[in-house]
Amino acid sequence: DAGVIQSPRHEVTEMGQEVTLRCKPISGHNSLFWYRQTMMRGLELLIYFNNNVPIDDSGMPEDRFSAKMPNASFSTLKIQPSEPRDSAVYFCASSLGQGAKDRDGYTFGSGTRLTVV
Amino acid sequence: AQSVTQPDIHITVSEGASLELRCNYSYGATPYLFWYVQSPGQGLQLLLKYFSGDTLVQGIKGFEAEFKRSQSSFNLRKPSVHWSDAAEYFCAVGSNDYKLSFGAGTTVTVRA
């Protein structure tokens, strides 16, 4: 298996532009998570999907952030409009079961490093 | 709600020396505990996990961790570090729902 695949690996954009991050989870995994990693706040859970349905989006910072999972093999995280404080590494992770209860834990992608200038 | 504390932000260790990374958690019931490693520019890789049973858990890359309920700790150890062990290490705690709470991480530097 190729693991969790995220694209792009790096994204540099200007403030105000729309940014779309993409994730392909491991085939057969039922849960998908989007995390944001910054020096100041560490790893923050943004949103959790189970069977393509958003279960918990309480970590999404504000209305500028939105996430979708149109099918079991693809998810997007969109920021519109982007701001410099959105600069971070965004990780997608998937798991076979329901995350913490899944004895295999999460499998993380390599992340997208977003820089908003 | 669960939480994790990693008291050491940065540890420097000589190659060949032993390594211990501390992790303390807060959770009312029996937790699920994990250690992840993140190499520069990479995602997080699962090193080992504890759910129940034997409190000494073996993981990949020669790492082990011991769950001590009385101390609410899950410390990570390696008897002899290699230069390739230089990375950031994250402890995480999960509960009966889907959430994993991560610690702030400990950066390990290995000197020759």
Side-chain angles (χ1 to χ4, degrees):
Chain A
D1 199 315
V4 177
I5 300 173
Q6 292 186 247
S7 64
R9 287 297 306 275
H10 302 273
E11 177 79 43
V12 180
T13 190
E14 292 185 346
M15 182 174 62
Q17 295 299 305
E18 177 181 296
V19 176
T20 299
L21 311 182
R22 296 172 176 79
C23 175
K24 176 179 168 56
I26 290 175
S27 177
H29 278 194
N30 297 320
S31 294
L32 184 139
F33 307 82
W34 281 100
Y35 277 85
R36 179 172 66 177
Q37 185 180 37
T38 61
M39 290 291 293
M40 293 298 296
R41 301 174 68 90
L43 278 160
E44 303 173 276
L45 177 64
L46 300 178
I47 189 168
Y48 159 58
F49 291 89
N50 185 252
N51 292 324
N52 313 337
V53 176
I55 304 299
D56 182 358
D57 65 355
S58 60
M60 296 286 264
E62 48 200 274
D63 291 345
R64 297 185 297 107
F65 285 69
S66 62
K68 294 182 179 179
M69 192 165 186
N71 56 62
S73 59
F74 184 65
S75 177
T76 59
L77 178 67
K78 184 178 294 185
I79 308 172
Q80 166 63 17
S82 58
E83 297 182 3
R85 60 194 169 114
D86 302 330
S87 297
V89 181
Y90 291 82
F91 287 105
C92 177
S94 70
S95 70
L96 183 61
Q98 294 183 14
K101 296 174 70 173
D102 181 352
R103 290 171 178 261
D104 291 331
Y106 297 4
T107 301
F108 281 80
S110 297
T112 295
R113 182 174 295 277
L114 174 65
T115 303
V116 183
V117 298
Chain B
Q2 65 263 33
S3 65
V4 178
T5 301
Q6 293 181 246
D8 304 305
I9 296 174
H10 190 197
I11 287 180
T12 298
V13 62
S14 297
E15 192 169 15
S18 64
L19 174 68
E20 182 167 13
L21 304 182
R22 295 183 291 164
C23 172
N24 293 99
Y25 68 90
S26 174
Y27 182 60
T30 300
Y32 306 136
L33 294 162
F34 306 81
W35 275 100
Y36 284 85
V37 60
Q38 184 180 27
S39 298
Q42 300 298 313
L44 281 71
Q45 180 184 21
L46 181 65
L47 280 176
L48 49 76
K49 56 187 181 283
Y50 171 80
F51 282 71
S52 63
D54 192 347
T55 56
L56 185 62
V57 181
Q58 302 297 320
I60 62 171
K61 304 186 180 188
F63 284 91
E64 66 178 26
E66 186 171 13
F67 170 57
K68 292 186 177 180
R69 184 187 301 275
S70 61
Q71 299 177 16
S72 297
S73 69
F74 189 57
N75 294 349
L76 182 72
R77 298 192 294 254
K78 185 168 185 177
S80 176
V81 298
H82 186 261
W83 63 266
S84 60
D85 293 322
E88 189 161 18
Y89 293 80
F90 293 90
C91 181
V93 61
S95 58
N96 280 325
D97 62 11
Y98 51 87
K99 288 186 177 178
L100 275 187
S101 295
F102 287 87
T106 299
T107 299
V108 173
T109 298
V110 180
R111 59 183 175 217

